[in-house]
Amino acid sequence: VGKNLLEGCNALKSVLIASPNPAIHIRLYTGLGEDQKHVIEWENMVNVYASNPIKASELLENSGEEVTILEKVKADYIDSIVEERRSLLSIPERNGWLQFLTSHGKEKTDPCVIKLCEYLEEKASMRTVWEFAQTKDQFGRVAKLAAPRNIQKVFEKRLFFLGRYDIFKGPPIHQSATCVVVHATDAKMPEYFGDKYDEHVGTEVGTTVDEKKFKEILRNMELISHDDHNINHLFQRADVDKSGKISKKEFVDFCVAEIGCKVVLKFMRNKDQFRREVDGRKTNRLDPKYVVGSIRSHDTTSDP
């Protein structure tokens, strides 16, 4: 009997090691008696979960015991990241990392998600955060882009200049004794477009604008000149539902699609010159046909 039991346990181990589905491991684990659970190595279960972080709805039997075991496995998986035992991800673990972010990451009240965000925001090295943010899965999805917004904000806060600008690698566009000009992507451009809409329309939910107001907003943002005759064409592209009105979502989506989130940053050495340029742009109406408009300025005395 002892020999048969040992052979059965070895066969069970082989099945578990070969299975990439945590649900099978958890189902068999809960079916064993306390004196048999050692047959299934807990660390192996956590490693399988790291490559395929399922949700409770994917368990074979969504019982209280199986859900409890799954939550413990998930917590140990996050601990392995926080304790930096899982910093260099294998290919299956990269897929699992993206799967965890997209399927679990948006659960803001989940203790595991809270712990992960606190680690990435406050404790992890810049290099570690960068590696997790740049991780790609088998479908080519990049973690920093595929992650839900709450985790994207953590990546942006740690990795982007002023928590918003992803500066392009490579030589600057322009460099002189007094300034450096570089390309960047502004992660907060959609918020900027939404704020511009609110400035003209108000923050009441469900507001819309007609073609005249649409033109006014674009001119105020210095995106079109005062004699631009293509406004009707632009309005038609923005009016996705063809209602003759443009909602805030349609406006933001239009701006992101047509204008994008790419910006140019100009770093100025001399503060007096910086102040004169900022003031000059505010007091003088500059035609966007000939002068690149300024979205905002950052002063080292007020920005970190």
Side-chain angles (χ1 to χ4, degrees):
V1 175
K3 182 180 179 181
N4 291 338
L5 179 60
L6 180 62
E7 289 176 350
C9 289
N10 288 334
L12 179 58
K13 280 187 176 182
S14 298
V15 170
L16 288 172
I17 291 171
S19 173
N21 188 351
I24 294 176
H25 292 247
I26 293 172
R27 183 69 187 94
L28 292 172
Y29 185 85
T30 56
L32 293 174
E34 289 301 322
D35 59 337
Q36 297 174 312
K37 290 189 186 296
H38 68 277
V39 173
I40 301 177
E41 296 177 3
W42 184 268
E43 189 63 29
N44 183 55
M45 232 174 2
V46 176
N47 289 335
V48 171
Y49 179 88
S51 300
N52 183 16
I54 62 172
K55 303 187 79 169
S57 58
E58 299 173 75
L59 289 167
L60 298 181
E61 183 179 318
N62 199 352
S63 66
E65 186 179 3
E66 288 198 12
V67 172
T68 298
I69 295 299
L70 176 61
E71 288 301 310
K72 289 180 178 179
V73 169
K74 181 170 74 170
D76 280 2
Y77 165 64
I78 294 301
D79 284 344
S80 72
I81 292 175
V82 171
E83 295 169 8
E84 301 185 350
R85 291 183 277 117
R86 201 181 295 277
S87 55
L88 295 176
L89 304 183
S90 64
I91 292 176
E93 288 175 338
R94 292 173 203 163
N95 295 333
W97 171 240
L98 266 294
Q99 184 180 332
F100 182 86
L101 292 181
T102 55
S103 62
H104 298 272
K106 58 188 176 183
E107 304 295 335
K108 297 179 183 180
T109 59
D110 184 330
C112 289
V113 174
I114 294 172
K115 189 172 187 177
L116 175 64
C117 289
E118 288 177 349
Y119 166 70
L120 293 173
E121 186 171 346
E122 301 172 7
K123 300 176 183 178
S125 68
M126 190 77 74
R127 180 68 186 181
T128 297
V129 176
W130 184 88
E131 287 176 348
F132 277 122
Q134 296 294 335
T135 297
K136 286 185 181 180
D137 67 4
Q138 61 183 331
F139 305 109
R141 296 183 301 172
V142 182
K144 69 177 183 179
L145 301 178
R149 191 70 191 121
N150 56 309
I151 295 181
Q152 282 184 346
K153 288 181 177 180
V154 175
F155 287 143
E156 291 163 6
K157 182 176 180 180
R158 289 297 308 278
L159 300 176
F160 291 177
F161 176 64
L162 295 180
R164 65 186 300 164
Y165 300 112
D166 187 9
I167 299 176
F168 289 10
K169 307 298 184 291
I173 305 168
H174 170 76
Q175 185 170 1
S176 70
T178 58
C179 72
V180 175
V181 182
V182 297
H183 279 299
T185 299
D186 185 355
K188 295 186 179 180
M189 278 300 281
E191 295 177 24
Y192 166 76
F193 296 138
D195 289 343
K196 285 298 179 183
Y197 180 93
D198 290 344
E199 284 179 16
H200 289 79
V201 183
T203 57
E204 185 179 344
V205 177
T207 56
T208 58
V209 297
D210 57 16
E211 185 174 330
K212 181 179 179 181
K213 179 64 74 171
F214 177 72
K215 184 176 183 180
E216 178 185 321
I217 299 172
L218 293 186
R219 281 181 173 168
N220 178 265
M221 294 169 64
E222 299 183 353
L223 297 176
I224 60 171
S225 61
H226 286 264
D227 59 351
D228 197 316
H229 301 294
N230 295 320
I231 188 64
N232 181 259
H233 179 56
L234 296 176
F235 184 85
Q236 294 300 321
R237 290 216 297 268
D239 185 17
V240 176
D241 62 3
K242 304 306 175 187
S243 64
K245 300 280 187 177
I246 295 177
S247 66
K248 180 177 180 177
K249 183 180 184 306
E250 285 178 321
F251 179 81
V252 172
D253 289 347
F254 165 81
C255 290
V256 170
E258 297 293 328
I259 303 165
C261 298
K262 292 182 179 178
V263 296
V264 171
L265 302 180
K266 183 177 182 180
F267 295 90
M268 302 186 70
R269 183 185 298 275
N270 187 289
K271 188 169 183 177
D272 290 338
Q273 292 179 354
F274 163 77
R275 195 74 268 160
R276 282 197 297 271
E277 179 161 343
V278 171
D279 293 342
R281 287 177 176 274
K282 286 181 178 179
T283 56
N284 299 310
R285 176 174 289 182
L286 305 175
D287 194 323
K289 270 188 176 182
Y290 309 105
V291 180
V292 176
S294 172
I295 298 174
R296 70 182 58 82
S297 63
H298 298 279
D299 191 330
T300 53
T301 59
S302 58
D303 289 313

